Amino acid sequence: MLGTIFADQRRMLHVPRGQWSCTCMLALVVVWAVRGVMGTACQQCDCMVKDPDNNHGGITNIVAACEEGKVTWFTTNGSLRITLNPTKSGLFRICFRVESGAFKTVVSQEIIATTLQNYRLKTTTKKDIKLSPLLTTSGQSKVNCISGSGPKRLYVETESAEEVLTVAKVKVEYDVEKIASGLSQSPYEVCRPCTEQELLRSVCSSHFVAIGTIDDVTHDEDTSHIRVTASKVVSQKEAIFQKPTAGWSRPYELKGVVQAPLRCGIRHGEGQFLFTGRVRLGQPVLQCAPRYEQWRAVLEMAQENGQLECALDL
C-alpha cells in the first residue's frame, strides 16, 4: 500500500494468484498413526529443536511463541510442523524464508478440508488435512507469503543425497503481520496508495517513519531498491537510515535503502515524501509513501478532528 512514487496503477491488470501445478494431499492422521508425533513448544522467538533420538522419521510439532522469529531445526529423516498462531483476531500476512544448506527442503501449507457426508439419513462432517506445496529449495529460498485468519501451519521435510551423512540443519525465519480486513487477494494489493486511515495508523505503528527524498531506484529479479536521503527520521526500529561513511552530505541528513515489490512499478519521484514501513525478515519493506504535502493535509485534518492515535513530532 504505497503512494505516488509508483507507476500509474490504472494500467495494471488484475492478475489472480497462480494455481498450483500439483497439490499434495495427505491425510496426516494416517501419517501420525504410522510415524508418530513429537511435540515441542518454542518458549523464545529464536528456537532450536532437533529430532528426538527415538523419532525414527516422525513429525516434530513446534508452536511458535512470537509473531516474528526463527526456528532452527536439526534433523536426520523426520518432518517439522510449525504452527504460527497470531495473538489477535482478524486477517494476517505470514511471510517466511528457509535456509537449508545442501539439503533439499520442501515446505507445504497444512490445510483442513471439511466435507459433509450423508450416512443412514444422518449428516456427518469429515475433516481431511491436506498439504499444499509452497516451495522447494536448496540453500536459501526467497521470501514466501500466505494470508488468512487464525492459526497457519507449515509442514517442512528434507531430502538429502545418500552420500551426505551429516545431520540436516534447516532454518525457518517467519514474520506475522496484521492486515486490514476486506483486502482483495490481488498481488497488486500491496501497491495501492494508503488510505487516510491507513496513513494515520502507519505513522504510529510502523517500524520506520521518515521524511525525505528519493536519490535513485534500482531493480533486481523481483525487488525494487529505493535509495532515500532522510531529512528527518521520526522513528526507526533498526538503523535503516544512517550517517553515510563516505561522500558528502548535509549534517542533518541520513541515508538508507528501503524495498518494494518489483511488480509495483516503482519509479523515481521529485520532491519530499513520507516513508513508512516494516522490517520483514531483516529487510525494510515500504508500505506507505505519500508526498509530504499530501501527508501534511491528512495530519492537519486529523489533528482538528482528534483522530490521531499517537503523539507525533512532525
Side-chain angles (χ1 to χ4, degrees):
M1 297 178 291
L2 300 165
T4 53
I5 58 176
F6 285 97
D8 187 353
Q9 295 167 42
R10 290 174 296 180
R11 295 177 295 173
M12 295 182 179
L13 298 176
H14 175 81
V15 180
R17 293 186 183 274
Q19 301 296 324
W20 300 112
S21 58
C22 64
T23 301
C24 176
M25 299 189 296
L26 301 176
L28 291 187
V29 289
V30 176
V31 176
W32 293 340
V34 175
R35 301 172 66 182
V37 178
M38 304 297 173
T40 304
C42 281
Q43 301 300 329
Q44 299 177 341
C45 296
D46 289 348
C47 185
M48 297 182 65
V49 296
K50 67 177 182 178
D51 294 342
D53 294 336
N54 60 347
N55 200 16
H56 302 303
I59 303 172
T60 299
N61 274 336
I62 292 296
V63 179
C66 304
E67 293 191 346
E68 55 181 311
K70 175 177 61 181
V71 177
T72 303
W73 174 43
F74 297 91
T75 182
T76 51
N77 62 345
S79 301
L80 179 68
R81 183 173 180 257
I82 305 175
T83 299
L84 300 168
N85 192 7
T87 58
K88 301 177 182 178
S89 60
L91 289 177
F92 287 83
R93 178 185 295 112
I94 297 176
C95 297
F96 64 93
R97 179 172 54 203
V98 178
E99 183 178 344
S100 59
F103 292 84
K104 180 180 178 181
T105 302
V106 180
V107 181
S108 304
Q109 181 182 359
E110 183 180 302
I111 298 175
I112 299 178
T114 303
T115 57
L116 296 178
Q117 297 180 326
N118 292 321
Y119 179 72
R120 293 183 178 179
L121 303 179
K122 293 184 179 180
T123 301
T124 60
T125 301
K126 179 184 178 183
K127 292 185 178 181
D128 290 327
I129 301 178
K130 303 176 182 180
L131 295 182
S132 178
L134 296 176
L135 64 86
T136 300
T137 185
S138 295
Q140 181 166 294
S141 74
K142 295 181 180 180
V143 175
N144 195 293
C145 298
I146 57 178
S147 60
S149 59
K152 300 297 176 187
R153 296 176 177 86
L154 301 179
Y155 190 82
V156 187
E157 295 180 286
T158 60
E159 300 177 10
S160 61
E162 293 183 358
E163 63 271 14
V164 179
L165 301 178
T166 59
V167 175
K169 176 183 177 181
V170 180
K171 181 170 66 175
V172 181
E173 298 176 272
Y174 62 89
D175 177 274
V176 182
E177 176 188 4
K178 185 174 176 58
I179 58 178
S181 300
L183 296 183
S184 73
Q185 295 301 307
S186 166
Y188 292 105
E189 175 60 38
V190 296
C191 303
R192 67 173 178 81
C194 293
T195 65
E196 293 183 1
Q197 291 75 18
E198 288 168 342
L199 272 177
L200 294 172
R201 190 180 308 115
S202 180
V203 294
C204 294
S205 61
S206 290
H207 290 174
F208 63 87
V209 180
I211 299 167
T213 57
I214 299 174
D215 295 335
D216 62 65
V217 181
T218 58
H219 312 280
D220 58 25
E221 183 179 355
D222 55 10
T223 304
S224 295
H225 305 269
I226 307 102
R227 296 187 179 275
V228 173
T229 293
S231 56
K232 183 172 185 177
V233 176
V234 181
S235 63
Q236 56 179 340
K237 180 180 179 180
E238 299 181 11
I240 299 165
F241 301 99
Q242 305 180 55
K243 193 69 178 174
T245 56
W248 180 87
S249 65
R250 295 182 177 86
Y252 57 85
E253 289 181 341
L254 300 177
K255 301 281 188 176
V257 179
V258 296
Q259 299 181 356
L262 178 65
R263 62 179 176 270
C264 292
I266 197 168
R267 61 188 180 185
H268 183 275
E270 300 293 338
Q272 280 199 317
F273 295 86
L274 175 74
F275 301 95
T276 73
R278 177 182 179 85
V279 178
R280 178 186 299 153
L281 302 178
Q283 301 299 323
V285 180
L286 194 60
Q287 292 182 318
C288 295
R291 291 192 176 274
Y292 185 65
E293 295 82 3
Q294 177 190 353
W295 159 243
R296 288 299 308 180
V298 172
L299 176 61
E300 291 171 4
M301 182 66 69
Q303 288 173 330
E304 292 178 5
N305 297 333
Q307 296 177 327
L308 287 181
E309 299 181 8
C310 63
L312 296 175
D313 181 18
L314 292 170

